[in-house]
């Protein structure tokens, strides 16, 4: 069953019932997540920066900076539509047409090196010739490895995927390890999660998958924050975290499709680069000593694990 | 006059008298610059990290970290040769052949936000079919604008260029403004300098230009360091410097040809990313207030100036 019908006028897409449901879901999820994160943080508050795209649509950027637990957290939604800019059509290797893109994008950089960075993004894209797809996922990037955290994160996402189709998790877990890979470092960005892109076909099923992933976010991440936020750390751990954040910057600016696509197509720069950490470091040729916790993390990044089978 | 003769064997290139002269010049310049910078810094010392490339050649990375004046400074040389990797030939849109590349690359990130970041790079590339070229230049990236510094920097480079050919400076100054441009920020990386690439033809003349630029480096930069290192600054200025360094990271990872080329062709990663600052920040949507020193800098970056005609 595919409720998307070929339509020609971008205005028709925007009015279409299906894309409105998707958009509404993302906007509610944004609000739910921001409230929950503010409650955990206890001090930081998310701003509300509403912006418009002159050619159609806009978004709501919600960023929390300098919180007690979260050093920087961004939870953005946007819905843009109109005639597809030539630059985007070229990148997608399609004819320009009417389009609508709606999505939610989240990146959390906690203050403590013991609390992992997390990313979640879900998006729906529709073209006026009837083509449409979902993309997204969620992945965890620790500076220090706690196996229990990786297992909890993956297990929660697996349950979410399984509620829709048990074929999803193994496929999306592998896709995530392959996508969040930094070739020039020969390591993954973190301990993975799930990722998918250009999921075409049964849009109702894929919307259900997207909702399952979005709804599972707080359950996948909040318990990890709660059990790690009191772990002790000092300057040594902070310095390592800042170097790992440097890798995060390298991945996002060099390889992340959403980021490079946004930069090349003149997207809203402050929303696109919300994902970058508040502080990041680069030092020359740092190699963790064998046997250290830092080496343990790098070992796992160089050899992605099946967290639920070990 | 072009002393490069068509040769087939990469070993012949390495032995060739011209490329040896170029390489020697770069290695002496590296040593001279490192000594001078250590003297100014008074505390920091450059390490010596010699590396080999399994397929031919290698380099000497010299990095100073946590100095008194220089927070991070790298002055690297490398000379690599052999059969051109297929990935590089594809990038250059040429047939694979024997090749030799020799170069010097320098980036200095001073501790004080009042002392500008500087970059210098000169390189010579030769193919066994006889094609060869020089590339390089030098550019200044202040966090706070001091017009005198920009004028001194440009004036020194202009004198160096003029000593070879008065046509060079206007051409290379413009090239620099165009090259060190960050499209997604609609601003240049800094206040410019000179830049050239794929300079073919009279290699002796271009080697003379390269030497003039390399020899002028200390004169172009050291007086600026000396007159700005005692300027007062505090947390406000430091925070702005860290945001500006974020822009430096954005340019280098997204647009810099040397960096992206190195990443795509599996170059030595620690040498390639030596250019990244020791610390960099990203905050959401920071816009300097009109009339501030921060706004004055951004104004110039959005409208590159002719420093020597105003």
């Amino acid at each position: 069953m595919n409720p998307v019908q070929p339509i020609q006028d971008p205005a028709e897409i925007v009015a279409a019932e299906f894309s409105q449901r998707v958009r509404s879901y993302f906007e509610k999820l944004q609000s739910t997540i921001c409230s929950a994160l503010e409650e955990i943080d206890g001090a930081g508050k998310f701003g509300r920066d509403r912006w418009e795209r002159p050619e159609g649509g806009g978004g709501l950027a919600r960023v929390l900076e300098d919180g007690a637990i979260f050093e920087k957290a961004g939870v953005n939604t946007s819905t843009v539509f109109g005639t597809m800019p030539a630059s985007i059509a070229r990148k997608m290797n399609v004819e320009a047409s009417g389009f609508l893109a709606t999505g939610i994008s989240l990146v959390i950089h906690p203050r403590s090196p013991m609390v992992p960075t997390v990313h979640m993004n879900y998006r729906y894209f529709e073209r006026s010739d009837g083509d449409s797809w979902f993309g997204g996922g969620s992945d965890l990037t620790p500076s220090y490895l706690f196996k229990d955290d990786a297992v909890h994160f993956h297990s929660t996402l697996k349950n979410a995927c399984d509620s829709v189709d048990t074929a999803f998790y193994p496929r999306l877990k592998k896709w995530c390890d392959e996508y969040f890979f930094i070739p020039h470092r020969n390591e993954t960005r973190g301990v993975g999660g799930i990722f998918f892109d250009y999921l075409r076909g049964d849009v109702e099923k894929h919307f259900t998958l997207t909702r399952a992933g979005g709804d599972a976010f707080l359950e996948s991440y909040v318990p990890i924050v709660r059990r790690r936020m009191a772990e002790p750390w000092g300057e040594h751990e902070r310095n390592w975290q800042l170097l790992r954040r440097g890798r995060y910057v390298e991945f996002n600016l060099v390889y992340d499709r959403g980021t490079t696509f946004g930069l090349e197509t003149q997207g809203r720069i402050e929303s696109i680069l919300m994902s970058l950490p508040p502080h990041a470091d680069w030092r020359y040729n740092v190699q963790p000593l064998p046997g250290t916790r830092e080496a343990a993390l790098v070992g796992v990044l160089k050899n992605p694990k099946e967290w639920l089978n070990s």
Side-chain angles (χ1 to χ4, degrees), chain A residues 202-220:
Chain A
D202 188 341
V203 294
E204 280 292 355
K205 182 177 183 180
H206 298 152
F207 184 28
T208 305
L209 172 69
T210 294
R211 285 198 307 267
D215 291 347
F217 172 75
L218 288 170
E219 189 195 336
S220 74

Side-chain angles (χ1 to χ4, degrees), chain A residues 30-290:
Chain A
Q30 176 185 37
S31 174
T32 304
I33 290 175
C34 288
S35 300
L37 295 176
E38 282 181 351
E39 197 188 314
I40 296 161
D41 194 84
K45 295 285 172 198
F46 281 91
R48 285 177 179 276
D49 197 4
R50 208 173 280 283
W51 54 275
E52 288 191 11
R53 179 174 172 271
E55 304 84 3
L60 175 63
R62 301 204 60 188
V63 179
L64 178 161
E65 290 179 300
D66 301 320
I69 306 295
F70 305 118
E71 201 169 339
K72 183 176 174 189
V75 189
N76 295 345
T77 54
S78 69
T79 301
V80 300
F81 49 82
T83 301
M84 195 185 290
S87 57
I88 295 184
R90 210 163 33 238
K91 285 279 296 172
M92 290 189 165
N93 208 13
V94 295
E95 295 288 307
S97 68
F99 83 106
L100 175 145
T102 183
I104 182 168
S105 186
L106 168 159
V107 177
I108 300 173
H109 294 284
R111 193 172 294 282
S112 163
M114 301 299 147
V115 182
T117 289
V118 71
H119 161 250
M120 182 198 80
N121 165 242
Y122 292 101
R123 53 194 177 273
Y124 170 69
F125 198 101
E126 191 173 301
R127 284 161 43 81
S128 56
D129 61 8
D131 191 15
S132 70
W133 62 89
F134 279 92
S138 182
D139 66 292
L140 196 70
T141 306
S143 296
Y144 286 93
L145 182 65
F146 293 93
K147 192 190 160 197
D148 288 356
D149 295 351
V151 170
H152 170 81
F153 189 76
H154 276 268
S155 153
T156 309
L157 292 177
K158 178 177 186 298
N159 289 342
C161 290
D162 286 356
S163 73
V164 187
D165 187 330
T166 55
F168 276 135
Y169 175 76
R171 182 177 164 211
L172 307 189
K173 191 272 182 201
K174 184 164 177 278
W175 205 337
C176 188
D177 287 337
E178 288 165 1
Y179 178 77
F180 290 103
F181 178 70
I182 309 176
H184 66 263
R185 299 288 189 178
N186 190 31
E187 56 187 43
T188 56
R189 185 172 78 171
V191 297
I194 58 171
F195 180 82
F196 56 94
D197 207 357
Y198 300 109
L199 264 197
R200 290 186 164 87
D202 188 341
V203 294
E204 280 292 355
K205 182 177 183 180
H206 298 152
F207 184 28
T208 305
L209 172 69
T210 294
R211 285 198 307 267
D215 291 347
F217 172 75
L218 288 170
E219 189 195 336
S220 74
Y221 185 60
V222 170
I224 296 173
V225 176
R226 293 210 187 273
R227 68 192 183 205
R228 299 301 164 208
M229 58 197 250
E231 294 270 350
W233 54 275
E235 199 185 341
H236 174 83
E237 291 76 20
R238 175 67 171 177
N239 287 341
W240 175 247
Q241 177 198 44
L242 294 174
L243 290 175
R244 297 311 309 172
R245 285 184 178 170
R247 299 288 211 276
Y248 210 86
V249 173
E250 290 174 26
F251 178 83
N252 285 21
L253 290 180
V254 180
Y255 304 107
D256 184 63
R257 273 186 225 156
T259 306
T260 55
F261 184 86
L263 296 182
E264 288 170 25
T265 56
Q266 285 88 51
R268 181 176 184 264
I269 196 66
E270 291 296 336
S271 296
I272 297 165
L273 297 185
M274 164 279 283
S275 68
L276 299 180
H279 312 287
D281 284 7
W282 284 267
R283 295 186 66 84
Y284 179 72
N285 207 15
V286 174
Q287 308 291 349
L289 293 175

